[in-house]
C-alpha cells in the first residue's frame, strides 16, 4: 500500500495540468524493443516455430495487419485533423471521443499490439507471444495510466464521462 502511494506521488509530480502525461519514451519504441528482445531470446533459447509455417497462420497475420491498419490509420488521421499531438510530453489540445475513439480509448496502442501479433505470425517466434504480456503491462502501467491521470486533470468531468462509457482497450 505504501509503495503504491509513493508511485502515485511520483506520477503525480511528473504530470502537471497543461504539461502532458509525462511519458518520455515514445510508446512505439516499447513494442519494437520487446519484439527485438524476443528475437534475441529465440537465438539463445530456441522454441520450435513449426506451427508458424502453416499457411493459415500467415493468413491470420494478414488479417491482423488489416485490422491494425484500421485502428492506426483512423486514430492518427483523427489526431491530425483535430490538430492534437501524439507526442506524450506535450499537452493535448482536445479530448478525442468520436470516431474510432468510441470503440477504444487507446486505439493506437490496440493497433500497435495487433501489428506486433501480425508480424509475429510471419516471423514465427513464440517468444514474441510469451513476452507479449510484459509489453501489455508496460503499455498499460507506464503509458496508459499516466495518460489517464493527465486527461483526468486536464479535462475533468468530460474525461470521467468518456472513461465510464468507453473501454480502455476494446
Amino acid at each position: 500500500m505504501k509503495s503504491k502511494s509513493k508511485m502515485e506521488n511520483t506520477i503525480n509530480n511528473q504530470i502537471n495540468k497543461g504539461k502532458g502525461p509525462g511519458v518520455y519514451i515514445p510508446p512505439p519504441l516499447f513494442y519494437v524493443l520487446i519484439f527485438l528482445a524476443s528475437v534475441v531470446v529465440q537465438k539463445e533459447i530456441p522454441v520450435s516455430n513449426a506451427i508458424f509455417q502453416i499457411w493459415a497462420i500467415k493468413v491470420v497475420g494478414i488479417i491482423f495487419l488489416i485490422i491494425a491498419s484500421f485502428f492506426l490509420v483512423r486514430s492518427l488521421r483523427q489526431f491530425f485533423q483535430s490538430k492534437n499531438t501524439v507526442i506524450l510530453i506535450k499537452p493535448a489540445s482536445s479530448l478525442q471521443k468520436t470516431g474510432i475513439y468510441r470503440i477504444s480509448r487507446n486505439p493506437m496502442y490496440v493497433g500497435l499490439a495487433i501489428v506486433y501479433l501480425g508480424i509475429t505470425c510471419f516471423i514465427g517466434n513464440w517468444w514474441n507471444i510469451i513476452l507479449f504480456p510484459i509489453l501489455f503491462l508496460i503499455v498499460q502501467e507506464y503509458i496508459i495510466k499516466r495518460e489517464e491521470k493527465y486527461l483526468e486533470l486536464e479535462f475533468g468531468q468530460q474525461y470521467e464521462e468518456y472513461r465510464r462509457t468507453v473501454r480502455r482497450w476494446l
Side-chain angles (χ1 to χ4, degrees):
M1 184 79 132
K2 198 173 192 180
S3 65
K4 184 174 182 175
S5 173
K6 193 174 187 178
M7 183 180 81
E8 283 180 10
N9 286 337
T10 302
I11 291 171
N12 288 338
N13 289 338
Q14 293 173 346
I15 300 171
N16 297 316
K17 185 173 175 148
K19 301 278 186 183
V23 176
Y24 299 102
I25 300 168
L29 188 57
F30 288 106
Y31 291 84
V32 171
L33 291 175
I34 296 294
F35 198 92
L36 293 175
S38 299
V39 171
V40 169
V41 173
Q42 175 66 17
K43 289 181 186 214
E44 297 299 317
I45 309 169
V47 177
S48 172
N49 65 353
I51 195 166
F52 291 103
Q53 305 310 314
I54 300 170
W55 69 270
I57 298 295
K58 307 294 185 204
V59 171
V60 168
I62 291 169
I63 292 168
F64 278 170
L65 294 175
I66 291 168
I67 293 169
S69 66
F70 170 78
F71 278 94
L72 291 170
V73 169
R74 293 193 63 172
S75 59
L76 287 170
R77 184 180 67 207
Q78 186 169 333
F79 254 67
F80 292 129
Q81 286 176 341
S82 67
K83 296 182 176 39
N84 217 337
T85 182
V86 293
I87 301 169
L88 297 177
I89 56 173
K90 293 184 176 184
S93 61
S94 63
L95 179 62
Q96 303 298 314
K97 300 188 308 184
T98 61
I100 192 75
Y101 289 87
R102 289 183 310 200
I103 298 170
S104 169
R105 294 195 317 256
N106 298 287
M108 287 185 220
Y109 303 139
V110 170
L112 288 171
I114 297 171
V115 165
Y116 177 99
L117 295 172
I119 294 172
T120 296
C121 291
F122 287 101
I123 70 157
N125 184 349
W126 276 108
W127 285 105
N128 288 93
I129 295 169
I130 294 167
L131 295 181
F132 185 75
I134 294 169
L135 171 62
F136 183 84
L137 285 173
I138 291 169
V139 170
Q140 182 155 301
E141 297 301 316
Y142 175 70
I143 301 167
I144 291 175
K145 288 202 175 169
R146 287 172 186 256
E147 286 181 358
E148 289 176 344
K149 188 72 169 167
Y150 165 73
L151 292 170
E152 185 180 325
L153 288 169
E154 193 70 23
F155 297 103
Q157 186 62 33
Q158 183 184 11
Y159 178 70
E160 282 301 315
E161 289 171 14
Y162 173 62
R163 192 165 88 176
R164 277 194 299 272
T165 59
V166 178
R167 292 174 179 240
R168 180 182 281 157
W169 290 94
L170 283 178

